[in-house]
Amino acid sequence: NAGVMQNPRHLVRRRGQEARLRCSPVKGHSHVYWYRQLPEEGLKFMVYLQKENIIDESGMPKERFSAEFPKEGPSILRIQQVVRGDSAAYFCASSPYGTGDDTQYFGPGTRLTVL
Amino acid sequence: AQSVTQLGSHVSVSEGALVLLRCNYSSSVPPYLFWYVQYPNQGLQLLLKYTSAATLVKGINGFEAEFKKSETSFHLTKPSAHMSDAAEYFCAVSEKGNEKLTFGTGTRLTIIP
């Protein structure tokens, strides 16, 4: 079984550009989570989605950030008009639902650098 | 609200010595507790988890952790450190399964040859 896949692994953007981060969950997993890790810090929750529905976005910045998990295709984290403070590692995790397995399985992350 | 405190951002132990990484949590409801390991430039790998069953939890790579409700602790231990254990370790809490994880700030473990 393939694990959580994220692409790109590294992304460089200039200030003001848009960043799109993709996450393909473990096959059969219906729930996706996004976390951000700033340098020398732990992971901070951003958003929790299931197919076509945002469950909890309490950790998302109010502006410039959005996330989706469409019926078909990967989950997308979109950052508009990036600033230097957005430079971080963004991790996606997935979990099954209704199986009794409450583990979140993490992808390798996308490292975003804003110049 | 939940929180996690990891005492010691850096821990160094000699190869073959006991590893002890500390984690204290705060939760208004019975918690689910997790330890994850992160190797450089990689994602997080689950070491072990506590979900209200046995209080002593055994994980991968010889690690184990004990849930102590009276001390609100979930410390990670390994009897004998190996060079390959050098990594960053994160403790995390959630209120129930399939909910957001709240992470500690991490402990970087260095193994001295």
Side-chain angles (χ1 to χ4, degrees), chain A residues 58-80:
Chain A
S58 59
M60 286 281 271
K62 293 290 184 270
E63 298 178 348
R64 301 188 297 109
F65 285 73
S66 62
E68 63 176 4
F69 188 17
K71 186 176 181 180
E72 301 291 338
S75 175
I76 305 288
L77 179 67
R78 182 184 179 203
I79 310 172
Q80 295 178 287

Side-chain angles (χ1 to χ4, degrees), chain A residues 9 31 33 35 37 40-43 45 48 56 58 91 95-98 101-108 111, chain B residues 10 32 34 36 38 40-46 49 51 90 96-106 108:
Chain A
R9 293 292 306 275
H31 288 210
Y33 308 76
Y35 294 84
Q37 184 179 33
E40 305 299 320
E41 293 187 17
L43 280 73
F45 169 78
Y48 165 31
D56 182 351
S58 59
F91 290 95
S95 71
Y97 183 78
D101 179 359
D102 40 38
T103 302
Q104 292 183 27
Y105 297 86
F106 282 80
R111 280 156 181 81
Chain B
H10 293 84
Y32 287 14
F34 306 81
Y36 283 87
Q38 184 181 32
N41 297 316
Q42 294 188 26
L44 276 70
Q45 180 182 4
L46 181 70
K49 63 180 179 180
T51 56
F90 292 96
K96 60 180 179 179
N98 285 333
E99 296 288 342
K100 63 184 180 184
L101 294 171
T102 299
F103 284 88
T105 51
R108 183 158 296 170

Side-chain angles (χ1 to χ4, degrees), chain B residues 29-107:
Chain B
V29 299
Y32 287 14
L33 293 158
F34 306 81
W35 275 100
Y36 283 87
V37 59
Q38 184 181 32
Y39 297 101
N41 297 316
Q42 294 188 26
L44 276 70
Q45 180 182 4
L46 181 70
L47 277 177
L48 50 80
K49 63 180 179 180
Y50 167 78
T51 56
S52 74
T55 57
L56 182 61
V57 182
K58 294 188 183 299
I60 62 171
N61 301 340
F63 285 94
E64 62 181 38
E66 186 172 7
F67 171 68
K68 291 187 176 181
K69 183 178 179 181
S70 61
E71 298 177 9
T72 61
S73 69
F74 190 58
H75 302 329
L76 182 71
T77 60
K78 181 174 180 177
S80 177
H82 191 273
M83 294 301 294
S84 61
D85 295 328
E88 186 111 24
Y89 291 79
F90 292 96
C91 182
V93 63
S94 71
E95 289 192 349
K96 60 180 179 179
N98 285 333
E99 296 288 342
K100 63 184 180 184
L101 294 171
T102 299
F103 284 88
T105 51
T107 297

Side-chain angles (χ1 to χ4, degrees), chain A residues 2-77:
Chain A
V4 176
M5 299 176 67
Q6 292 187 247
N7 67 81
R9 293 292 306 275
H10 300 274
L11 182 62
V12 178
R13 286 287 179 265
R14 296 190 180 279
R15 281 179 296 170
Q17 292 184 319
E18 178 179 286
R20 280 182 177 246
L21 289 60
R22 295 174 184 78
C23 169
S24 296
V26 174
K27 186 177 181 181
H29 285 191
S30 58
H31 288 210
V32 164
Y33 308 76
W34 285 94
Y35 294 84
R36 176 166 64 175
Q37 184 179 33
L38 294 169
E40 305 299 320
E41 293 187 17
L43 280 73
K44 303 287 188 192
F45 169 78
M46 298 182 76
V47 63
Y48 165 31
L49 313 99
Q50 64 179 131
K51 293 267 186 192
E52 300 183 285
N53 193 23
I54 296 174
I55 306 297
D56 182 351
E57 57 181 348
S58 59
M60 286 281 271
K62 293 290 184 270
E63 298 178 348
R64 301 188 297 109
F65 285 73
S66 62
E68 63 176 4
F69 188 17
K71 186 176 181 180
E72 301 291 338
S75 175
I76 305 288
L77 179 67

